[in-house]
Amino acid sequence: MCNKKQSNRFYSREIVDFIVKCGIKHICISPGSRNTPLTESFINHKKIKCFSIFDERASCFYALGLAKTSSSPVAVLTTSGTAIANLFPAIIEAKLSSIPLLILTADRPACLVKTGESQTINQNNLYGEYVNEMINVEFQKESINSILSKLSKAISQLYSSNNKSAGPVHINFRIDEPLYDNLGKKLTKHPKYKKPSIKLSSKIKLGTFKKPLIVCGPLSLSCKTKYISELSRRINAPIIADILSQMRNNKNSLCFYEYYIDKVNPDIIIRFGDKPTSKKLNQFLNNHKKNSYLINESLKENDDCPNIIIQKFEKIKTKIGLKGPEDSLWTNKITNYDRKVSKIISLAISSHNTQANLIRQLIPKFNNKDHVFIGNSTLIRVFDQFSGLFKPSLKLLGNHVTRGIDGLVSTALGMSYININKKNFLFIGDLSLFYDANGFHILRNKGINLTIIVINNKGGQIFSQLPYAKKNITKFKEYWTTPPSTSIKKLSELFKLKYYKMQTIQLVKDMNKISNYNGVKIIEVSINHLSDMKFLEQVKKKINKDLHLQK
């Protein structure tokens, strides 16, 4: 004990009450001893939904899924020690994609750090630049009013401002023993909490251009994309729409740019959202950086665009002076490229057992307001290049910034909880599925419906598509593609999940029926990665030939 004076349960109750008043509606709690007074206060509060998740990494990714889908901040609570290190991967993804997570970690008193005390590490600033704010709270040294005042300032950093993008905030609570002590009387008054305001850019006049281009990268589900469509029509600018842009439900959006973007030479680029999925499109943006303008509703930290305009999308028409060509010749030229590529892909795709064929056939089967979470590596690239346009209200999400394979199951489960009354889908590779298998323990929290389509192509075949794969590297399979030896069926049995193994033609026929069942369903589809690679090479060669003749 280090100079223990204050009641942990009293402080915890007041802190939790204040956090809830700040708008936090969901919290993911991992078990531990040091966080006992905070855990007790959260689970006894009637206005916050608590989830018990013993794996801290899965817990934080689940919170990420909740926050992405609800467009609201979500809290995570852990005990002390290495438990808090397991949150780091999801925190990085949240920071770089501007997702607000309130990270609450219990800790030993400062006097016990570096003394050899059990489960005690230096938790101060552990997450470094990947949180918007970090504060330490010491129950035994600070008054409750002082603590709540600190919390108010820290929690405001969850949200966007002119100085920072939205993102995670870390609050580290140093709690001394006895952990479960007297509760004490409740406070009658808490300090007022106010979200930060954002100063928008003043009216900007960009001028008149002959070849304007709009590029939409990944956008949040709450983004008002109709104003982007209005801008496109007003200035006669084609829209390049990333798979996660929420813009592929627009009939004027272009989806097959991967195969012709190097033929496009705009005189101005208007960007929305994060950097796109396509490496080729990002190289194109780098080559046109000087004449690119990124319009965002708050500061964009994780982007190197030299011209960032902070403006509400609904005010684009009145606040940004921009004119395009009076005719549609420029738009028609690029649209013709897109239609030509789409036709070539449609003719070539049906004769191959590939991921592209599977995805192309499943896209029309989704219903309005379905939510689809896309895994990383080859899957997100195949979706981006081959899926085409969607139904009006189909929503697509992914952990698109860091592109890791960790936490994909957990994030998709978080998405599914928020979208509980609609259908939810996860497309994931076999390696990614096993990597986050602990996420299925989240299903102890009832009420999640999710259909998981597992593309079993025997490991991380993204590496097989990279240039060095043809260099006959020793033990390439063992150290790069690393195919799992575990059975997907046995994993399903372990967690008592409905399991199906199907070919593409059967899945296309039965997917809607299977997705109507309650709970989590796993559908395994085997894809030969050599067929995948052969198809990609053939399509690319055909497109290059036909577009060359079209000049």
Side-chain angles (χ1 to χ4, degrees), residues 52-55 58-59 62 408-413 426 428 430 432-446 448 450-454 488 490-498 519-523:
S52 174
I53 305 171
F54 67 77
D55 183 303
S59 178
Y62 184 72
L408 298 176
V409 171
S410 301
T411 312
L413 290 171
L426 166 63
I428 192 169
D430 53 327
S432 302
L433 178 77
F434 287 114
Y435 196 89
D436 194 31
N438 256 9
F440 287 118
H441 289 290
I442 293 169
L443 297 175
R444 296 186 308 154
N445 301 286
K446 306 296 183 183
I448 292 177
L450 176 65
T451 302
I452 302 176
I453 293 95
V454 184
I488 295 172
K490 288 182 178 178
L491 177 69
S492 305
E493 291 172 349
L494 177 65
F495 289 100
K496 297 180 173 61
L497 308 176
K498 296 183 180 73
V520 174
K521 295 78 61 178
I522 289 185
I523 305 172

Side-chain angles (χ1 to χ4, degrees), residues 164-205:
K164 286 181 180 177
S165 302
V169 165
H170 178 202
I171 301 174
N172 190 53
F173 295 96
R174 299 188 184 279
I175 305 174
D176 205 351
E177 295 178 347
L179 300 173
Y180 198 83
D181 48 17
N182 295 326
L183 190 55
K185 293 182 179 180
K186 186 172 178 60
L187 285 182
T188 57
K189 193 174 182 180
H190 284 161
K192 291 183 178 180
Y193 167 74
K194 186 179 180 182
K195 288 185 182 180
S197 59
I198 298 176
K199 184 179 179 181
L200 303 175
S201 300
S202 55
K203 190 170 182 178
I204 295 174
K205 190 172 183 179

